[in-house]
Amino acid sequence: MNVAKSGYRVFSANSTPACTELSKKITERLGVELGKSVVYQESNRETRVEIKESVRGQTIFIIQTIPRDVNTAIMELLIMAYALKTSCAKNIIGVIPYFPYSKQCKMRKRGSIVYKLFNNLQCKLGLTHIITMDLHQKEIQGFFTFPVDNLRASPFLVQYIQKKIPDYRNAIIVAKSPSAAKRAQSFAERLRLGLAVMHGEAQCSESDMADGRHSPPCVRNTIGHPGLELPLMMAKEKPPITVVGDVGGRIAIIVDDIIDDVEDFVATAEILKERGAYKIYIMATHGLLSADAPRLIEESAIDEVVVTNTVPHEVQKLQCPKIKTVDVSMILAEAIRRIHNGESMAYLFRNITVDD
């Protein structure tokens, strides 16, 4: 396709080799060239973006993957969007496969909803549409004042299970917590497999209980209204970790949307091994794999960790051969093509229900 006549441009908001790989795969599938731009950090760590071609009246797609330096990646995206806006681009659409700060989407005590702040910045600086994948909570699309297409990676992960896991019919889908049960149920129903759910938390040793770390906070004697007697809420107490479901002699496949700090996954794998699972796989859309995650996975009972290329993780793969990658550039490229041509996006969401 002739880039000059295509009516749109595709730019990469990050110039590092690991982050431009996905952009190149998408543009190759679309048959267009990657837009000419320069993104770099000055000596004082300020981000500078230079657009090297005319974008006047064009629809622009900015592809931004999120490496370990999340805040730098956000500034690259925002500065590029603003540069394109001031260069008279017609529409600016962000292709952000992994949306940063998506876990900070709930109000905490004396905190803020950081995700809402990030969304407001994108709106102010010129973005008019977002393409993303597997938001941590799909309801947070309500924070946006423009359209959001929340694509799904589950068809690619389900296909991997069917083609790459021998004897997957003897597997069971595992949710590592009750909150992840809905996602696990979706996988189980599509693969016609059973479902198991982990419940509870690891119990502390006696030494941990005796050193004061679990002591209740000091309570001041406060005097309220003499006629006001509010009922006291009973404190929550989680039981020891239990597995709801039979995993004995089965392949255990743990599914989640994000795998970052892997301590919980490692602990879950140990319990599943104790319950008789003979192989353990982890399937996740976004493989952040921060800190010592590769080493912990390599030393654990986990047999394989499968993630998509929404986040660069080539360094982690070199450190841990158990990490495998599934390419999702196909669906991102198709979403770009359909949006530009004004076609329906329903094809990309076929057989996906509201509960998925």
Side-chain angles (χ1 to χ4, degrees):
M1 181 185 294
N2 188 332
V3 152
K5 297 180 180 179
S6 65
Y8 69 98
R9 300 282 196 280
V10 180
F11 285 86
S12 174
N14 195 308
S15 58
T16 59
C19 293
T20 55
E21 181 182 355
L22 180 61
S23 302
K24 289 180 179 178
K25 287 183 178 181
I26 291 174
T27 52
E28 286 173 1
R29 291 182 180 278
L30 291 170
V32 301
E33 296 178 3
L34 194 62
K36 297 179 177 63
S37 63
V38 177
V39 183
Y40 63 95
Q41 311 299 316
E42 294 187 342
S43 56
N44 63 353
R45 302 299 296 166
E46 288 185 0
T47 299
R48 185 174 290 274
V49 175
E50 298 176 5
I51 308 299
K52 296 294 186 179
E53 60 182 290
S54 174
V55 295
R56 183 178 295 272
Q58 297 283 315
T59 295
I60 306 299
F61 293 87
I62 307 175
I63 300 172
Q64 177 63 311
T65 54
I66 307 297
R68 290 190 178 187
D69 192 350
V70 176
N71 295 328
T72 297
I74 289 173
M75 289 305 299
E76 289 170 346
L77 173 67
L78 297 178
I79 293 172
M80 177 169 277
Y82 190 61
L84 292 165
K85 180 182 179 181
T86 54
S87 298
C88 299
K90 182 181 179 181
N91 293 307
I92 304 171
I93 301 172
V95 183
I96 314 170
Y98 166 66
F99 219 91
Y101 287 101
S102 58
K103 284 189 173 182
Q104 298 190 48
C105 60
K106 296 180 180 179
M107 177 62 74
R108 302 296 181 185
K109 186 176 182 181
R110 300 187 184 90
S112 62
I113 304 176
V114 181
Y115 190 83
K116 175 68 173 176
L117 170 64
F118 182 31
N119 293 343
N120 288 342
L121 289 172
Q122 293 178 93
C123 297
K124 295 290 184 182
L125 295 178
L127 288 173
T128 58
H129 195 141
I130 289 290
I131 302 171
T132 188
M133 182 166 282
D134 282 337
L135 287 170
H136 187 57
Q137 299 286 341
K138 62 180 183 295
E139 291 80 8
I140 57 183
Q141 295 177 67
F143 286 142
F144 293 88
T145 56
F146 51 71
V148 177
D149 288 308
N150 181 26
L151 305 177
R152 303 295 198 275
S154 54
F156 297 91
L157 296 175
V158 167
Q159 185 182 58
Y160 184 95
I161 293 171
Q162 292 173 326
K163 292 186 176 182
K164 301 292 186 180
I165 299 181
D167 195 24
Y168 83 92
R169 290 292 183 187
N170 189 39
I172 186 168
I173 305 298
V174 179
K176 70 179 182 65
S177 66
S179 61
K182 185 175 290 187
R183 183 183 303 273
Q185 181 182 357
S186 176
F187 274 74
E189 291 175 352
R190 280 170 169 73
L191 291 164
R192 278 64 171 175
L193 299 176
L195 177 66
V197 180
M198 310 290 293
H199 177 56
E201 63 181 357
Q203 299 299 295
C204 301
S205 64
E206 294 182 2
S207 60
D208 290 339
M209 298 297 290
D211 65 2
R213 283 183 285 175
H214 291 269
S215 300
C218 297
V219 180
R220 297 180 180 178
N221 293 324
T222 56
I223 301 176
H225 191 279
L228 187 64
E229 293 184 4
L230 297 176
L232 295 177
M233 180 66 74
M234 184 176 295
K236 292 181 179 180
E237 184 175 344
K238 289 187 177 181
I241 292 181
T242 56
V243 182
V244 182
D246 182 18
V247 298
R250 313 284 287 277
I251 300 171
I253 303 176
I254 307 169
V255 298
D256 212 335
D257 61 329
I258 300 172
I259 176 168
D260 190 1
D261 297 325
V262 299
E263 285 85 354
D264 289 346
F265 290 93
V266 171
T268 300
E270 292 292 341
I271 293 171
L272 292 173
K273 277 287 186 182
E274 293 174 2
R275 299 296 194 279
Y278 68 92
K279 274 194 176 181
I280 298 171
Y281 291 80
I282 295 176
M283 299 282 164
T285 303
H286 310 296
L288 305 185
L289 302 168
S290 302
D292 291 334
R295 179 183 60 82
L296 294 174
I297 293 171
E298 187 66 25
E299 297 173 355
S300 71
I302 299 169
D303 292 283
E304 197 168 278
V305 174
V306 182
V307 294
T308 71
N309 56 344
T310 57
V311 178
H313 53 267
E314 295 304 316
V315 174
Q316 291 91 326
K317 288 180 69 175
L318 292 174
Q319 297 171 349
C320 177
K322 292 181 179 180
I323 301 172
K324 308 297 180 183
T325 306
V326 174
D327 181 24
V328 293
S329 62
M330 179 190 301
I331 192 171
L332 294 171
E334 181 63 14
I336 291 173
R337 190 193 67 79
R338 285 177 173 270
I339 288 172
H340 172 65
N341 293 333
E343 299 177 17
S344 172
M345 297 287 284
Y347 176 78
L348 304 182
F349 295 95
R350 62 193 187 282
N351 297 328
I352 293 177
T353 65
V354 176
D355 293 332
D356 285 338

